[in-house]
Amino acid sequence: MLEERPSRAPGDQHRILVTGGAGFLGSHLCEQLLALGHDVLCADNFFTGTRRNVEHLLSDPHFELISHDVIQPLDVEVDRIYNLACPASPVHYQRDPVYTTKTIVLGAFNMLDLAKRQGARILQASTSEVYGDPGVHPQPESYWGNVNPVGVRSCYDEGKRCAETLFFDYHRQHGVDIRVARIFNTYGPRMHPEDGRVVPNFVVQALRGNPITIYGNGLQTRSFCFVDDLVEGLGRFMEANPGGPGPVNIGNPAEVTVRDLAQLIIDLTGSSSKLVFAPLPPDDPTQRRPDVSAAAQMFGWQPGVQLRDGLRKTIAYFDGLLSAGEFLPLRRERVR
């Protein structure tokens, strides 16, 4: 149940487009924006997003869901745009890498064009992957990264880097009001069980009592941000006044090894799963930790949910899916 909308000052309510709004992050963001009293237009082509993520919002008269692929232009009246449309896990973005690059780059172009026509403020969901396998730790926004431009992850890494370029060129050349958020590893309810990222992989394997697969030696580190913290950070960044284009890191700086994450999930689920090891995928980063001081200084944000608490909520979500027999396969072909 959404919170009752608070009373808002005239002109404080926005009509907001969320591309990729039926995905994991997008659906939580739509939910938050509605709770804050905004009108939300959710656009998704359901390549990795799913209608079930936003079904509970369909009865809200301030929410609209449309089927749309951001590769194609979109003409709607909005004053805020969150551009989240893109497959975000290696399993998904490597399935059709040419389409992934088109989604990121053409999607950025089309949404920036819309923002220019409408005079709208637009936020790009960029990624920590722009830093590649970093040579600087933790990663500040001033670090230019260490990215392989011809590797199997390049469609996503370089696509997002190109999108950032487009955003800043539209800002400098056309005066578009932009925000660029570099999102670090995020987890929580509504991730798909076949997502392919480490948290859902480990949770599903643990709940089923299957061996937990760790790629490499498990000593590589990640920093995991719970989805509620992440969407709050995006919202604060969008509305920061005075604000700025960024880029700004949004993530949790608490660092954990992949092996310790697996053991924590085993403990929280009470699973009998054992750890098994497999070769590390190409270009997989060895360290990932955000410097979030810019977010704290610019709009007073820092994550508040501890990893153990966020994992409990995530485990409960996946346990519910398993119990109800609702593990649905992901769509294997995009909507054309």
Side-chain angles (χ1 to χ4, degrees):
M1 179 72 69
L2 290 172
E3 301 174 13
E4 183 178 348
R5 286 190 175 84
S7 60
R8 300 175 63 79
D12 228 7
Q13 184 178 9
H14 299 295
R15 177 162 170 78
I16 301 175
L17 169 65
V18 180
T19 69
F24 161 52
L25 290 182
S27 63
H28 284 277
L29 179 60
C30 288
E31 195 172 63
Q32 181 202 61
L33 294 172
L34 287 168
L36 291 172
H38 300 295
D39 294 322
V40 176
L41 175 60
C42 170
D44 208 296
N45 73 339
F46 307 108
F47 181 42
T48 56
T50 174
R51 185 182 175 90
R52 67 173 291 158
N53 284 342
V54 293
E55 275 183 338
H56 62 297
L57 306 178
L58 294 175
S59 61
D60 191 318
H62 300 283
F63 179 78
E64 182 181 354
L65 174 64
I66 62 171
S67 177
H68 183 79
D69 190 324
V70 293
I71 285 176
Q72 303 300 325
L74 182 62
D75 191 13
V76 291
E77 293 185 2
V78 292
D79 52 15
R80 294 286 189 273
I81 302 168
Y82 288 86
N83 186 36
L84 274 61
C86 183
S89 77
V91 169
H92 302 150
Y93 65 65
Q94 291 174 22
R95 184 185 306 157
D96 189 341
V98 172
Y99 176 68
T100 295
T101 303
K102 290 171 68 176
T103 298
I104 298 170
V105 178
L106 293 180
F109 176 81
N110 286 327
M111 292 306 107
L112 284 163
D113 243 17
L114 175 61
K116 179 185 171 185
R117 293 195 307 271
Q118 294 290 322
R121 180 177 297 170
I122 180 169
L123 183 146
Q124 166 68 3
S126 192
T127 172
S128 60
E129 298 294 336
V130 300
Y131 299 121
D133 189 5
V136 173
H137 192 75
Q139 294 82 59
E141 291 87 349
S142 59
Y143 177 54
W144 289 358
N146 176 35
V147 176
N148 177 2
V150 295
V152 295
R153 300 169 69 102
S154 303
C155 59
Y156 187 73
D157 302 356
E158 295 287 29
K160 289 289 190 177
R161 287 163 69 95
C162 182
E164 288 196 11
T165 299
L166 276 170
F167 265 69
F168 276 88
D169 283 341
Y170 263 76
H171 176 61
R172 288 185 287 255
Q173 186 172 339
H174 300 298
V176 175
D177 188 0
I178 67 166
R179 303 286 189 271
V180 174
R182 289 177 177 167
I183 297 172
F184 281 67
N185 293 67
T186 305
Y187 70 100
R190 297 189 202 136
M191 296 188 89
H192 198 281
E194 292 185 7
D195 179 271
R197 283 174 283 191
V198 63
V199 170
N201 277 1
F202 286 2
V203 169
V204 170
Q205 288 170 338
L207 287 173
R208 287 175 164 165
N210 295 335
I212 291 183
T213 305
I214 292 178
Y215 295 98
N217 60 16
L219 299 181
Q220 64 269 39
T221 65
R222 297 292 184 268
S223 303
F224 296 98
C225 186
F226 190 62
V227 64
D228 291 356
D229 283 339
L230 190 285
V231 297
E232 180 190 353
L234 294 179
R236 287 195 182 199
F237 186 22
M238 176 69 94
E239 300 303 330
N241 189 22
V248 172
N249 292 335
I250 302 182
N252 193 319
E255 196 173 9
V256 63
T257 69
V258 172
R259 186 179 296 192
D260 286 346
L261 173 70
Q263 190 57 57
L264 177 57
I265 289 172
I266 288 173
D267 294 344
L268 291 175
T269 56
S271 176
S272 59
S273 295
K274 305 299 182 185
L275 304 183
V276 296
F277 296 86
L280 196 66
D283 300 325
D284 196 61
T286 56
Q287 292 180 305
R288 189 57 60 75
R289 178 187 171 197
D291 178 339
V292 295
S293 56
Q297 293 167 8
M298 184 183 295
F299 44 90
W301 178 86
Q302 59 182 5
V305 179
Q306 299 297 312
L307 180 60
R308 181 178 292 268
D309 297 330
L311 284 176
R312 285 194 181 101
K313 295 179 181 180
T314 307
I315 289 166
Y317 171 77
F318 283 116
D319 193 33
L321 288 184
L322 268 176
S323 299
E326 294 182 2
F327 270 23
L328 302 177
L330 281 168
R331 185 185 296 275
R332 294 303 176 188
E333 295 182 359
R334 64 183 181 273
V335 176
R336 297 179 183 273

